[in-house]
Amino acid sequence: MDELKELRIVDNFYQTSAFYPMPTILISTVSESGQTNLGAYSLCFPYYIAGKNYYAMLLECRNSSNTAQNILRTKKCTLNFITDEKKYFKEAVRLGFPGDSTEEKMKNCLFTLKDSALGKDRPQIVQESFQVFECTWDDSLEDAYNDKPGNLEGYEPPYRNFNGITSKFGAHFILKIDKILMKEKYHNSIINGVKRNNFPNVPVDYGYRDSTNFWYTKFKKPISEKIPEKNDGDVKSVIYAAERIDPDVKFTEQACAKLVKIPRIFLKAALSQMVSIAKQEGISLIDEDALNIINDKRRKEKKK
């Protein structure tokens, strides 16, 4: 059995000191001339996922890149998720090469661009994407609105900790998600139930590794694993939690039995939301029929 050996941690450790799977995203921004610029990125991940008044992604990038400079100036960008066709990844590698101006890199761009429905000031969208996040940079965090474009040779301190210019050559952007768009096939799979054959062909990128190549893997069909079945003891724990939410709204045991698959960490929040909807609907006893009404309203609110 192979033993784990220590590896020296150096700059760009996720590429040079590790095998780290990442997404492949084309970020569109608007250049000073008004033209849409595409840059290829992998260091872009979910950031605010719950409990805030908005949802957000985190982008890490060079602060001198076209993308960073455009975000500093316009506050707008669009995350375009492409599929795993080799020609698309080859074009993403070309678009990710630093130093070219927007005009140079976009002159013979493979991808088709279309206007955003959010306004003429927004970056165009890559038509070939399977999903798109249209975003606005939240520059209010850490007073990052004080960071301005123009320093292409590097920024001097002081630096932000997590939003804006974070080092001489680096930047982090917390991107509020304004809208999520998705191709109809995959939109329907999320709404109606995801199955093995209706996942998009999502590439996994391993980044610049050996001074010669970028590496990625093509999509393979995902493997599902059933959530463990719950037992009577779990029903009792749901009943225990439900009885302590609100004295004016009660849950029947049959209704609680239908809630045992909610992960325990989310149970109190889910029950609280159900009680709130029940009060809006004039329901004081949540039985199976009332639960169906409440869950239907929860689904409608989620879609909104």
Side-chain angles (χ1 to χ4, degrees):
M1 180 175 175
D2 288 344
E3 295 295 326
L4 294 172
K5 299 184 67 175
E6 184 178 356
L7 196 65
R8 187 166 64 96
I9 303 173
V10 297
D11 286 354
N12 294 326
F13 67 90
Y14 63 95
Q15 298 170 325
T16 55
S17 304
F19 293 93
Y20 196 82
M22 299 176 289
T24 303
I25 300 174
L26 295 177
I27 299 184
S28 50
T29 55
V30 179
S31 69
E32 287 189 272
S33 67
Q35 183 178 5
T36 290
N37 177 88
L38 290 181
Y41 288 90
S42 291
L43 295 178
C44 191
F45 310 99
Y47 191 72
Y48 290 150
I49 61 169
K52 303 286 284 188
N53 62 353
Y54 64 90
Y55 304 100
M57 300 288 286
L58 173 66
L59 169 66
E60 304 169 45
C61 61
R62 288 181 301 106
N63 57 39
S64 61
S65 68
N66 293 324
T67 297
Q69 291 292 304
N70 290 340
I71 292 175
L72 287 169
R73 193 184 69 260
T74 69
K75 322 301 181 190
K76 310 293 184 185
C77 70
T78 298
L79 313 182
N80 303 276
F81 294 75
I82 58 175
T83 48
D84 67 355
E85 286 88 339
K86 186 174 182 179
K87 63 179 181 179
Y88 290 169
F89 192 77
K90 182 176 182 179
E91 181 72 340
V93 171
R94 183 186 74 82
L95 292 168
F97 194 81
D100 290 342
S101 67
T102 296
E103 290 73 18
E104 290 170 333
K105 70 161 57 178
M106 298 301 294
K107 184 177 180 181
N108 296 305
C109 182
L110 172 68
F111 296 104
T112 307
L113 299 178
K114 69 172 188 176
D115 291 340
S116 166
L118 293 181
K120 294 292 185 182
D121 62 328
R122 307 292 297 224
Q124 291 177 299
I125 292 169
V126 175
Q127 177 66 41
E128 290 83 358
S129 305
F130 67 85
Q131 73 180 10
V132 171
F133 295 177
E134 296 192 85
C135 301
T136 300
W137 175 38
D138 187 351
D139 63 351
S140 67
L141 299 172
E142 271 205 296
D143 296 334
Y145 52 80
N146 289 311
D147 293 340
K148 306 299 180 184
N151 295 3
L152 300 183
E153 302 303 319
Y155 284 77
E156 298 302 320
Y159 301 120
R160 316 290 168 196
N161 289 314
F162 64 90
N163 188 44
I165 303 300
T166 52
S167 67
K168 186 175 180 66
F169 301 111
H172 289 184
F173 296 105
I174 296 176
L175 305 172
K176 176 184 177 182
I177 301 175
D178 301 316
K179 180 181 286 191
I180 293 179
L181 303 169
M182 193 173 296
K183 290 287 178 68
E184 184 175 11
K185 175 182 177 180
Y186 309 119
H187 172 279
N188 292 343
S189 74
I190 287 181
I191 298 300
N192 301 322
V194 177
K195 298 180 181 178
R196 188 170 184 263
N197 63 353
N198 58 17
F199 275 76
N201 289 354
V202 181
V204 174
D205 170 22
Y206 290 94
Y208 186 71
R209 178 159 298 281
D210 57 8
S211 303
T212 305
N213 300 298
F214 277 85
W215 293 83
Y216 85 111
T217 60
K218 292 179 74 67
F219 178 78
K220 292 184 179 179
K221 294 295 182 185
I223 300 170
S224 63
E225 183 65 35
K226 288 288 186 183
I227 296 172
E229 293 294 329
K230 302 298 181 179
N231 55 40
D232 290 342
D234 293 298
V235 177
K236 292 177 182 177
S237 66
V238 174
I239 294 171
Y240 180 87
E243 288 175 345
R244 284 154 179 79
I245 296 298
D246 191 296
D248 298 325
V249 179
K250 303 296 183 183
F251 288 74
T252 66
E253 183 175 344
Q254 292 77 15
C256 289
K258 290 184 172 295
L259 304 176
V260 295
K261 289 189 176 182
I262 299 176
R264 196 64 68 241
I265 193 173
F266 303 132
L267 181 60
K268 183 178 179 181
L271 292 171
S272 297
Q273 185 187 29
M274 291 175 189
V275 167
S276 177
I277 294 173
K279 286 187 168 183
Q280 294 171 18
E281 299 293 321
I283 298 170
S284 59
L285 179 66
I286 300 179
D287 56 15
E288 291 181 85
D289 290 337
L291 188 62
N292 289 333
I293 294 170
I294 291 168
N295 282 335
D296 184 59
K297 189 163 185 179
R298 290 177 73 207
R299 283 190 289 270
K300 289 179 180 178
E301 289 180 355
K302 186 177 180 180
K303 289 181 182 180
K304 289 179 183 178

